[in-house]
mmCIF file of all heavy atoms in Angstrom:
data_model
loop_
_atom_site.group_PDB
_atom_site.id
_atom_site.type_symbol
_atom_site.label_atom_id
_atom_site.label_comp_id
_atom_site.label_asym_id
_atom_site.label_seq_id
_atom_site.Cartn_x
_atom_site.Cartn_y
_atom_site.Cartn_z
ATOM 1 N N LEU D 12 -17.456 -6.107 19.133
ATOM 2 C CA LEU D 12 -17.720 -6.035 17.697
ATOM 3 C C LEU D 12 -18.950 -6.841 17.285
ATOM 4 O O LEU D 12 -19.578 -6.557 16.269
ATOM 5 C CB LEU D 12 -16.499 -6.518 16.913
ATOM 6 C CG LEU D 12 -15.259 -5.627 16.997
ATOM 7 C CD1 LEU D 12 -14.065 -6.290 16.327
ATOM 8 C CD2 LEU D 12 -15.520 -4.262 16.361
ATOM 9 N N GLY D 28 -9.250 4.543 12.881
ATOM 10 C CA GLY D 28 -8.001 4.577 13.633
ATOM 11 C C GLY D 28 -6.862 3.921 12.871
ATOM 12 O O GLY D 28 -5.734 4.410 12.888
ATOM 13 N N SER D 50 12.689 1.048 -2.650
ATOM 14 C CA SER D 50 13.315 0.427 -3.822
ATOM 15 C C SER D 50 14.401 1.331 -4.406
ATOM 16 O O SER D 50 15.432 0.841 -4.888
ATOM 17 C CB SER D 50 12.267 0.074 -4.883
ATOM 18 O OG SER D 50 11.634 1.227 -5.403
ATOM 19 N N ALA D 52 16.342 3.365 -2.676
ATOM 20 C CA ALA D 52 17.504 3.231 -1.787
ATOM 21 C C ALA D 52 18.222 1.909 -2.028
ATOM 22 O O ALA D 52 19.464 1.856 -2.052
ATOM 23 C CB ALA D 52 17.061 3.331 -0.330
ATOM 24 N N PRO D 64 27.316 -1.862 -20.484
ATOM 25 C CA PRO D 64 26.062 -1.286 -20.971
ATOM 26 C C PRO D 64 24.897 -1.689 -20.061
ATOM 27 O O PRO D 64 24.789 -2.845 -19.660
ATOM 28 C CB PRO D 64 25.901 -1.907 -22.361
ATOM 29 C CG PRO D 64 27.252 -2.420 -22.722
ATOM 30 C CD PRO D 64 27.905 -2.800 -21.436
ATOM 31 N N ARG D 77 10.941 10.509 -7.771
ATOM 32 C CA ARG D 77 11.320 11.364 -6.646
ATOM 33 C C ARG D 77 12.231 12.504 -7.112
ATOM 34 O O ARG D 77 13.051 13.006 -6.354
ATOM 35 C CB ARG D 77 12.000 10.529 -5.546
ATOM 36 C CG ARG D 77 11.086 9.496 -4.885
ATOM 37 C CD ARG D 77 9.869 10.121 -4.235
ATOM 38 N NE ARG D 77 8.971 9.152 -3.637
ATOM 39 C CZ ARG D 77 7.917 8.613 -4.239
ATOM 40 N NH1 ARG D 77 7.625 8.936 -5.490
ATOM 41 N NH2 ARG D 77 7.142 7.770 -3.611
ATOM 42 N N ASP D 83 21.279 8.017 -13.430
ATOM 43 C CA ASP D 83 22.250 8.610 -12.514
ATOM 44 C C ASP D 83 22.607 7.679 -11.362
ATOM 45 O O ASP D 83 23.574 7.954 -10.633
ATOM 46 C CB ASP D 83 21.710 9.935 -11.973
ATOM 47 C CG ASP D 83 21.521 10.970 -13.080
ATOM 48 O OD1 ASP D 83 22.317 10.963 -14.034
ATOM 49 O OD2 ASP D 83 20.556 11.760 -12.991
ATOM 50 N N GLU D 89 29.176 2.165 -18.718
ATOM 51 C CA GLU D 89 29.814 2.819 -19.860
ATOM 52 C C GLU D 89 28.791 3.397 -20.834
ATOM 53 O O GLU D 89 29.091 4.303 -21.610
ATOM 54 C CB GLU D 89 30.733 1.850 -20.590
ATOM 55 C CG GLU D 89 30.029 0.659 -21.211
ATOM 56 C CD GLU D 89 31.000 -0.345 -21.797
ATOM 57 O OE1 GLU D 89 31.990 -0.665 -21.134
ATOM 58 O OE2 GLU D 89 30.729 -0.812 -22.921
ATOM 59 N N PHE D 128 17.765 -3.853 -16.033
ATOM 60 C CA PHE D 128 16.996 -3.366 -14.890
ATOM 61 C C PHE D 128 15.545 -3.202 -15.305
ATOM 62 O O PHE D 128 15.253 -2.684 -16.386
ATOM 63 C CB PHE D 128 17.593 -2.032 -14.427
ATOM 64 C CG PHE D 128 16.716 -1.222 -13.511
ATOM 65 C CD1 PHE D 128 16.237 -1.746 -12.325
ATOM 66 C CD2 PHE D 128 16.388 0.093 -13.835
ATOM 67 C CE1 PHE D 128 15.432 -0.991 -11.486
ATOM 68 C CE2 PHE D 128 15.597 0.859 -12.999
ATOM 69 C CZ PHE D 128 15.118 0.313 -11.823
ATOM 70 N N THR D 132 7.116 -3.625 -13.772
ATOM 71 C CA THR D 132 6.486 -3.794 -15.080
ATOM 72 C C THR D 132 5.854 -5.168 -15.232
ATOM 73 O O THR D 132 4.801 -5.314 -15.873
ATOM 74 C CB THR D 132 7.527 -3.605 -16.208
ATOM 75 O OG1 THR D 132 8.044 -2.281 -16.149
ATOM 76 C CG2 THR D 132 6.909 -3.840 -17.576
ATOM 77 N N VAL D 136 2.281 -7.365 -17.568
ATOM 78 C CA VAL D 136 2.495 -8.149 -18.790
ATOM 79 C C VAL D 136 1.834 -9.511 -18.617
ATOM 80 O O VAL D 136 2.240 -10.294 -17.753
ATOM 81 C CB VAL D 136 3.996 -8.319 -19.084
ATOM 82 C CG1 VAL D 136 4.191 -9.093 -20.384
ATOM 83 C CG2 VAL D 136 4.687 -6.964 -19.157
ATOM 84 N N HIS D 140 5.936 -15.327 -18.616
ATOM 85 C CA HIS D 140 7.029 -16.257 -18.925
ATOM 86 C C HIS D 140 7.869 -15.739 -20.093
ATOM 87 O O HIS D 140 9.103 -15.777 -20.044
ATOM 88 C CB HIS D 140 6.481 -17.645 -19.229
ATOM 89 C CG HIS D 140 5.978 -18.363 -18.020
ATOM 90 N ND1 HIS D 140 6.805 -19.067 -17.175
ATOM 91 C CD2 HIS D 140 4.723 -18.479 -17.504
ATOM 92 C CE1 HIS D 140 6.090 -19.593 -16.192
ATOM 93 N NE2 HIS D 140 4.827 -19.239 -16.360
ATOM 94 N N THR D 141 7.201 -15.238 -21.134
ATOM 95 C CA THR D 141 7.940 -14.661 -22.251
ATOM 96 C C THR D 141 8.666 -13.394 -21.817
ATOM 97 O O THR D 141 9.803 -13.138 -22.241
ATOM 98 C CB THR D 141 6.994 -14.350 -23.421
ATOM 99 O OG1 THR D 141 6.416 -15.564 -23.893
ATOM 100 C CG2 THR D 141 7.733 -13.671 -24.568
ATOM 101 N N GLN D 163 -2.470 -3.056 -4.308
ATOM 102 C CA GLN D 163 -3.811 -2.960 -4.861
ATOM 103 C C GLN D 163 -3.777 -3.175 -6.372
ATOM 104 O O GLN D 163 -2.761 -2.928 -7.016
ATOM 105 C CB GLN D 163 -4.446 -1.605 -4.532
ATOM 106 C CG GLN D 163 -3.933 -0.442 -5.352
ATOM 107 C CD GLN D 163 -2.606 0.115 -4.876
ATOM 108 O OE1 GLN D 163 -1.953 -0.441 -3.987
ATOM 109 N NE2 GLN D 163 -2.195 1.229 -5.482
ATOM 110 N N VAL D 164 -4.878 -3.618 -6.939
ATOM 111 C CA VAL D 164 -4.986 -3.742 -8.386
ATOM 112 C C VAL D 164 -4.903 -2.344 -8.997
ATOM 113 O O VAL D 164 -5.566 -1.409 -8.549
ATOM 114 C CB VAL D 164 -6.313 -4.416 -8.786
ATOM 115 C CG1 VAL D 164 -6.501 -4.393 -10.294
ATOM 116 C CG2 VAL D 164 -6.343 -5.853 -8.276
ATOM 117 N N THR D 178 5.685 -14.359 -6.174
ATOM 118 C CA THR D 178 6.355 -14.493 -4.882
ATOM 119 C C THR D 178 7.872 -14.498 -5.097
ATOM 120 O O THR D 178 8.354 -14.745 -6.207
ATOM 121 C CB THR D 178 5.957 -15.793 -4.178
ATOM 122 O OG1 THR D 178 6.471 -16.906 -4.927
ATOM 123 C CG2 THR D 178 4.438 -15.906 -4.038
ATOM 124 N N MET D 180 9.979 -16.754 -4.209
ATOM 125 C CA MET D 180 10.367 -18.091 -4.652
ATOM 126 C C MET D 180 10.053 -18.286 -6.131
ATOM 127 O O MET D 180 10.835 -18.889 -6.886
ATOM 128 C CB MET D 180 9.637 -19.145 -3.810
ATOM 129 C CG MET D 180 10.100 -20.573 -4.042
ATOM 130 S SD MET D 180 9.208 -21.740 -2.982
ATOM 131 C CE MET D 180 9.735 -21.193 -1.363
ATOM 132 N N PHE D 191 20.062 -18.115 -14.518
ATOM 133 C CA PHE D 191 20.438 -17.061 -13.584
ATOM 134 C C PHE D 191 20.357 -17.553 -12.140
ATOM 135 O O PHE D 191 19.390 -18.227 -11.752
ATOM 136 C CB PHE D 191 19.536 -15.838 -13.754
ATOM 137 C CG PHE D 191 19.879 -14.985 -14.927
ATOM 138 C CD1 PHE D 191 19.500 -15.364 -16.215
ATOM 139 C CD2 PHE D 191 20.585 -13.809 -14.764
ATOM 140 C CE1 PHE D 191 19.816 -14.585 -17.318
ATOM 141 C CE2 PHE D 191 20.905 -13.014 -15.864
ATOM 142 C CZ PHE D 191 20.529 -13.403 -17.141
ATOM 143 N N TYR D 207 7.034 -4.347 -1.871
ATOM 144 C CA TYR D 207 7.801 -4.664 -3.069
ATOM 145 C C TYR D 207 8.845 -5.731 -2.746
ATOM 146 O O TYR D 207 9.212 -5.931 -1.582
ATOM 147 C CB TYR D 207 8.568 -3.432 -3.566
ATOM 148 C CG TYR D 207 7.792 -2.434 -4.381
ATOM 149 C CD1 TYR D 207 8.410 -1.257 -4.810
ATOM 150 C CD2 TYR D 207 6.450 -2.621 -4.723
ATOM 151 C CE1 TYR D 207 7.733 -0.314 -5.559
ATOM 152 C CE2 TYR D 207 5.768 -1.682 -5.473
ATOM 153 C CZ TYR D 207 6.412 -0.517 -5.886
ATOM 154 O OH TYR D 207 5.740 0.416 -6.635
ATOM 155 N N GLY D 226 22.203 -12.525 -0.078
ATOM 156 C CA GLY D 226 21.297 -13.101 0.911
ATOM 157 C C GLY D 226 19.857 -13.071 0.438
ATOM 158 O O GLY D 226 19.469 -12.209 -0.362
ATOM 159 N N CYS D 243 4.471 -16.710 14.273
ATOM 160 C CA CYS D 243 5.397 -17.635 13.614
ATOM 161 C C CYS D 243 6.835 -17.436 14.035
ATOM 162 O O CYS D 243 7.691 -18.238 13.658
ATOM 163 C CB CYS D 243 5.296 -17.478 12.099
ATOM 164 S SG CYS D 243 3.682 -17.936 11.453
ATOM 165 N N PHE D 249 9.994 -20.002 4.527
ATOM 166 C CA PHE D 249 8.571 -20.256 4.620
ATOM 167 C C PHE D 249 8.315 -21.357 5.641
ATOM 168 O O PHE D 249 9.096 -22.297 5.773
ATOM 169 C CB PHE D 249 8.003 -20.685 3.271
ATOM 170 C CG PHE D 249 7.729 -19.533 2.357
ATOM 171 C CD1 PHE D 249 8.470 -19.362 1.205
ATOM 172 C CD2 PHE D 249 6.734 -18.618 2.657
ATOM 173 C CE1 PHE D 249 8.213 -18.290 0.355
ATOM 174 C CE2 PHE D 249 6.488 -17.556 1.812
ATOM 175 C CZ PHE D 249 7.229 -17.394 0.669
ATOM 176 N N ASP D 255 0.797 -24.205 11.462
ATOM 177 C CA ASP D 255 -0.387 -23.367 11.351
ATOM 178 C C ASP D 255 -0.001 -21.927 11.630
ATOM 179 O O ASP D 255 -0.043 -21.467 12.759
ATOM 180 C CB ASP D 255 -1.455 -23.840 12.335
ATOM 181 C CG ASP D 255 -2.746 -23.051 12.210
ATOM 182 O OD1 ASP D 255 -2.876 -22.357 11.195
ATOM 183 O OD2 ASP D 255 -3.587 -23.130 13.129
#
Side-chain angles (χ1 to χ4, degrees):
L12 292 173
S50 64
R77 295 301 178 266
D83 296 326
E89 63 186 45
F128 164 56
T132 298
V136 182
H140 287 276
T141 297
Q163 76 280 7
V164 173
T178 67
M180 188 179 296
F191 282 78
Y207 279 177
C243 296
F249 279 113
D255 183 14

